[in-house]
Amino acid sequence: MTETMRAFVIKRVGETAVMDKPIPEPGPEEAIVRTTAALICTSDVHTVKGALPVPDERTLGHESVGVIHALGSAVTGYTEGQRVAVNAVTPCYRCSYCQRGFTSQCGGALGGYKYTTQMDGNMAEYFVVPAAQANLTPIPDELTDGQAVYACDMLSTGFMGAEHAYLQFGETVAVFAQGPVGLCATMGANLMGAGRIIAVESRPERQALAKRFGADEIVDFTQGDPVEQIMDLTGGEGVDAAIEAFGFPQTFEACLRVTKAGGRVSNIGYHGENPAPLQLPLDAFGLGMNDKAIHTGLCPGGNERMGRLFRLMASGRIDPTPMTTHTFAFDDISRAFDMMTSKQDGIIKPLITFG
């Protein structure tokens, strides 16, 4: 008789459920992880709203840690029972995209993002790890599951926002939106030596975290046009780089408008929910000739990057756990997801624990 597990699924567009599924068996290059902790991502909310085409009853989730339950025959160097984390992006490291350095685009555009889009996600009691040799990351003993799980997406994505802003020490950067990814971008910009970080955010609890993570100034867009506020703060010059961490046409355009000539716009916002096209206002784009660069990206995966993120946490350089505003048992996953959807009670990231 096949053993079963519980999984949190998209029942159909607009509806979620917890259902029983068979505990998976690993292929030769795969691993099975028994989940101990997970985070709910706003990307899951977008998916349930229909932003991505996925089949009914597909398991949600891409931010989970746990212990190795079973290893495929070709996976070496790991042991059953070992604590591990797996990035939201799980590249094959063999295809032409991976070999050219675009591992997040494994096999084609956004192809490294396999959980939920191409296979069951990992908001379940057990989950599959593809290309496990490269995608399993041992968790250092000094880190808790509640810390380590942030490396799976939030830190990797937010830090990519700072990396793709190509910051030089002392430069000024604006980070639009201080949700979990924006907060991590603020943290990353601080680590990379930004001399001035301007965070755009209206919610008081997120403003406070932005300051805690390194923001020097807060621009509240409910108190006036954020572009005008940032231009005033910079004496009309603008910023060296802007990070778009919201995923809306208005914030994308604002990033272009506040970035000085020769500056960089780094986009990590998820634009899937809003169908409006992104505009390139010609005055802000110098008629296409003002040396502004736009760099987009998807959360980088792999255990080498995950190991570096763990090192930053283990050394005390960063601590993302203040973003964990709520903790739920897996039995309460539906309530946690509803709260994440409505953003009620000041929720930023809900941690899900598995018994």
Side-chain angles (χ1 to χ4, degrees), residues 214-275:
D216 298 288
E217 289 146 309
I218 303 293
V219 165
D220 185 341
F221 60 85
T222 67
Q223 303 301 311
D225 183 349
V227 172
E228 292 180 3
Q229 292 185 65
I230 291 171
M231 296 307 288
D232 286 344
L233 286 171
T234 58
E237 186 177 21
V239 298
D240 297 290
I243 300 173
E244 204 289 340
F246 190 48
F248 271 74
Q250 297 93 322
T251 46
F252 183 82
E253 181 175 334
C255 284
L256 278 172
R257 292 197 176 280
V258 301
T259 306
K260 65 177 68 171
R264 293 86 61 195
V265 173
S266 173
N267 186 91
I268 50 175
Y270 183 118
H271 293 274
E273 189 175 328
N274 193 312

Side-chain angles (χ1 to χ4, degrees), residues 126-145:
Y126 296 83
F127 66 92
V128 177
V129 183
Q133 192 72 44
N135 288 313
L136 288 170
T137 310
I139 299 174
D141 291 341
E142 58 266 41
L143 294 184
T144 66
D145 288 351

Side-chain angles (χ1 to χ4, degrees), residues 2 19 33 63 68 99 121 141 159 184 195 198 240 250 322 326 346:
T2 302
M19 66 179 295
V33 171
E63 299 180 83
I68 295 174
Q99 291 185 48
D141 291 341
F159 283 15
C184 288
I198 303 170
D240 297 290
Q250 297 93 322
H326 297 71

Side-chain angles (χ1 to χ4, degrees), residues 159 162-164 166-170 187-194:
F159 283 15
E163 290 166 313
H164 283 179
Y166 296 100
L167 295 168
Q168 300 183 61
F169 64 85
M187 196 186 306
N190 187 46
L191 277 174
M192 295 188 71

